[in-house]
Amino acid sequence: MTADERVILSLLVISEKTEVYARDLVAESGGLLSSPSVFVHLSRLIFRGYVTRRADGPPPLGPQGQRLIPRSLYRITDRGSAALEVEVNR
């Protein structure tokens, strides 16, 4: 697990909200995470089963009526919490 992935999982654990937007993770990281890289790390964490993602409502419409990608909310799983605990106790 990378340092950035540990930061993301830690932020998801300590968040007062159950689900968090990626931009909030970047803001709460105090400069440790960047906007482009947070999505790469979140994708890896989802693939491993450490984090889940859900769309926040229906896809918004763009200026020409095209459907855009909806914002996503992220949540740590029990497996992610256990993996973070192992990493922290190393």
Side-chain angles (χ1 to χ4, degrees):
M1 181 180 301
T2 68
D4 286 349
E5 290 168 348
R6 280 192 299 277
V7 169
I8 290 169
L9 291 178
S10 297
L11 290 171
L12 288 171
V13 166
I14 64 172
S15 174
E16 294 177 1
K17 302 174 227 164
T18 311
E19 297 174 307
V20 179
Y21 292 107
R23 71 170 187 206
D24 294 336
L25 292 171
V26 172
E28 292 172 18
S29 75
L32 295 174
L33 300 172
S34 67
S35 222
S37 71
V38 74
F39 294 103
V40 173
H41 294 298
L42 283 166
S43 294
R44 290 179 187 158
L45 292 168
I46 290 167
F47 179 77
R48 291 183 194 135
Y50 295 168
V51 172
T52 59
R53 172 196 165 274
R54 77 168 179 88
D56 182 25
L61 296 178
Q64 280 120 21
Q66 74 276 29
R67 294 203 180 271
L68 302 175
I69 299 171
R71 290 176 45 186
S72 297
L73 286 160
Y74 299 91
R75 173 189 294 208
I76 192 167
T77 63
D78 291 339
R79 185 175 178 179
S81 294
L84 179 62
E85 189 172 331
V86 167
E87 286 288 319
V88 168
N89 292 325
R90 279 189 179 188

